């Protein structure tokens, strides 16, 4: 990376990507670039939005590796034996863990009822109540609310809170500070969490169950560790954190939305795969070039495409 290329990249970010807070890049396991913007530092956390989904995928993989979950073909309702199926339900009993991971589960809404779910006392149950409906199983149907059912599955399968399980089996081994539960009481709290400059923790419902589809805060250094773990085939400092099999399976196309491929809560790209979060948060992994790129961003509607930034302005610096 020559100085002129770096200067051009940073000028471009300041001008056209003003909500980026930090970029960290590793190549061949070595940190080769780290830069922070808008008075952020390496220690500041950012709400990574739907990057949380890919972290949840990792936790499901670890739970399967450790035998807490048999396999992804298990029916969702197996994990909720006390849940009462509503009369007339047709498809909910067919839905498996795999359907949740690949965004191919049907729901009883046209647009996600965030306010209804996040004002309830039990977000997992509220999501279960929305699962199923009249649409058939198997069609791509991206859902942040529905992903929260995976939190309930993790909690019930492992007997631990999601945050405790994540801390013990992922964050602590990677040297990531464990995020504490953060609670929101109303719409104002929710909007503040999205828009405040400095936020910390991991959003949890009133029962203390962490969100699976959003709500996690990480630093760019944390994000690069997650990406490097995948590039390393699940190993960290010589120890297996996650099986290579799960990494391969989760980053192969399992469903499709328009021209985009989807694995197990990971987006599959022609030149790698990525965890993508609203506002422009991304962990991009290129196995071919052995590069991991982590970009953290404050929430901003209609942000410029980070994949385009990576392909057009970052990756050419490594030719």
């Amino acid at each position: 990376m020559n100085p002129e290329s770096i200067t051009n990249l940073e000028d471009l970010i300041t001008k056209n990507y003003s909500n980026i807070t930090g970029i960290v890049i590793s190549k061949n396991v070595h940190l080769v670039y780290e830069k922070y913007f808008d008075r952020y530092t390496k220690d500041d956390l950012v709400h990574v939005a739907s990057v949380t989904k890919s972290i949840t995928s990792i936790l499901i993989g670890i739970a399967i590796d450790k035998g807490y979950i048999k396999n992804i073909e298990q029916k969702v309702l197996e994990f909720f034996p006390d849940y009462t199926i509503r009369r007339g339900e047709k498809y909910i009993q067919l839905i498996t863990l795999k359907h949740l991971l690949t965004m191919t589960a049907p729901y009883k809404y046209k647009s996600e009822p965030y306010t209804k779910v996040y004002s309830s006392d039990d977000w997992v149950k509220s999501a279960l109540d929305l699962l199923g409906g009249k649409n058939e199983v198997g069609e791509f149907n991206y859902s942040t609310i529905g992903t929260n059912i995976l939190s309930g599955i993790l909690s019930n399968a492992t007997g631990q809170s999601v945050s405790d399980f994540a801390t013990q089996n992922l964050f602590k081994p990677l040297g990531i500070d464990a995020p504490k539960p953060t609670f929101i009481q109303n719409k104002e709290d929710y909007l503040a969490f999205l828009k405040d400059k400095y936020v910390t923790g991991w959003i949890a419902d009133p029962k203390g169950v962490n969100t699976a589809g959003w709500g996690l805060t990480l630093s760019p250094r944390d994000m690069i560790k997650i990406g490097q773990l995948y590039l390393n085939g699940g190993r960290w400092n010589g120890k297996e954190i996650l099986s290579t099999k799960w990494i391969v399976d989760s980053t192969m196309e399992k469903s499709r939305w328009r021209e985009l491929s989807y694995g197990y809560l990971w987006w599959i790209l022609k030149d790698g795969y990525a965890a993508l979060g609203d506002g422009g948060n991304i962990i991009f992994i290129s196995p071919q070039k052995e590069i991991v790129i982590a970009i953290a961003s404050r929430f901003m509607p209609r942000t410029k495409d980070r994949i385009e930034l990576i392909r057009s302005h970052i990756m050419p610096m490594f030719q």
Side-chain angles (χ1 to χ4, degrees):
M1 299 178 69
N2 65 65
E4 183 179 356
S5 296
I6 293 173
T7 299
N8 291 338
L9 173 65
E10 293 174 357
D11 287 345
L12 177 71
I13 290 168
T14 301
K15 180 180 179 181
N16 294 336
Y17 299 85
S18 60
N19 70 320
I20 287 180
T21 65
I23 299 179
V24 178
I25 303 172
S26 67
K27 180 172 174 58
N28 299 324
V29 195
H30 300 292
L31 197 68
V32 295
Y33 179 78
E34 183 174 19
K35 177 71 175 180
Y36 298 91
F37 303 87
D38 195 22
R39 299 188 298 279
Y40 279 80
T41 72
K42 63 181 177 60
D43 299 315
D44 291 323
L45 308 180
V46 172
H47 172 220
V48 295
S50 287
V51 168
T52 309
K53 293 181 174 71
S54 300
I55 306 299
T56 299
S57 174
I58 295 173
L59 297 178
I60 293 291
I62 293 172
I64 291 173
D65 290 342
K66 292 183 175 296
Y68 292 110
I69 297 172
K70 295 176 185 177
N71 56 64
I72 60 170
E73 301 298 340
Q74 280 187 265
K75 300 290 194 297
V76 168
L77 293 184
E78 289 181 35
F79 298 94
F80 304 97
D82 297 329
Y83 182 75
T84 302
I85 302 173
R86 294 184 177 183
R87 189 175 182 179
E89 285 285 2
K90 182 178 180 181
Y91 292 114
I92 191 170
Q93 298 180 68
L94 303 176
I95 299 170
T96 65
L97 190 56
K98 183 176 181 179
H99 292 125
L100 295 179
L101 289 166
T102 58
M103 295 292 179
T104 56
Y107 296 92
K108 304 168 187 171
Y109 55 73
K110 292 184 179 179
S111 60
E112 297 198 65
Y114 296 108
T115 302
K116 179 181 179 180
V117 172
Y118 300 143
S119 62
S120 72
D121 294 330
D122 186 336
W123 298 356
V124 174
K125 183 181 182 302
S126 292
L128 280 169
D129 289 343
L130 294 167
L131 187 64
K134 298 181 180 180
N135 295 322
E136 291 190 16
V137 176
E139 295 182 5
F140 191 87
N141 184 19
Y142 190 86
S143 174
T144 295
I145 286 174
T147 309
N148 217 56
I149 297 169
L150 292 171
S151 291
I153 289 173
L154 276 169
S155 295
N156 291 347
T158 65
Q160 294 179 271
S161 69
V162 176
S163 58
D164 285 350
F165 183 76
T167 297
Q168 179 182 336
N169 296 286
L170 180 64
F171 295 144
K172 188 175 181 180
L174 295 185
I176 296 173
D177 290 338
K180 296 180 180 179
T182 298
F183 299 92
I184 56 175
Q185 307 296 329
N186 48 49
K187 186 177 181 180
E188 288 70 30
D189 288 350
Y190 170 72
L191 293 175
F193 184 80
L194 293 183
K195 296 180 180 180
D196 283 358
K197 185 170 183 178
Y198 299 110
V199 291
T200 60
W202 190 350
I203 293 292
D205 73 4
K207 290 184 174 292
V209 179
N210 299 93
T211 49
W214 67 288
L216 177 63
T217 62
L218 296 170
S219 71
R221 283 192 174 187
D222 296 335
M223 296 165 72
I224 206 76
K225 289 177 179 179
I226 298 294
Q228 193 64 54
L229 175 69
Y230 260 54
L231 193 59
N232 292 351
R235 301 188 70 82
W236 191 264
N237 291 333
K239 180 181 178 182
E240 183 179 278
I241 307 300
L242 179 67
S243 65
T244 301
K245 181 181 185 305
W246 182 260
I247 291 175
V248 171
D249 287 348
S250 63
T251 57
M252 293 178 61
E253 180 179 325
K254 299 297 191 302
S255 57
R256 197 170 183 84
W257 180 68
R258 298 178 181 174
E259 74 281 3
L260 296 175
S261 299
Y262 204 66
Y264 298 154
L265 304 182
W266 285 86
W267 292 97
I268 317 305
L269 311 169
K270 63 182 181 181
D271 45 2
Y273 51 90
L276 299 176
D278 200 8
N281 290 282
I282 182 171
I283 303 171
F284 173 88
I285 300 148
S286 172
Q288 183 180 4
K289 299 200 173 191
E290 295 189 59
I291 290 176
V292 180
I293 300 170
I295 302 177
S297 308
R298 287 182 292 104
F299 174 76
M300 180 185 291
R302 297 178 295 280
T303 53
K304 288 177 126 353
D305 186 359
R306 296 317 193 239
I307 298 297
E308 174 62 25
L309 172 66
I310 288 170
R311 286 175 175 163
S312 298
H313 301 284
I314 297 179
M315 293 298 283
M317 299 167 68
F318 295 94
Q319 299 296 337

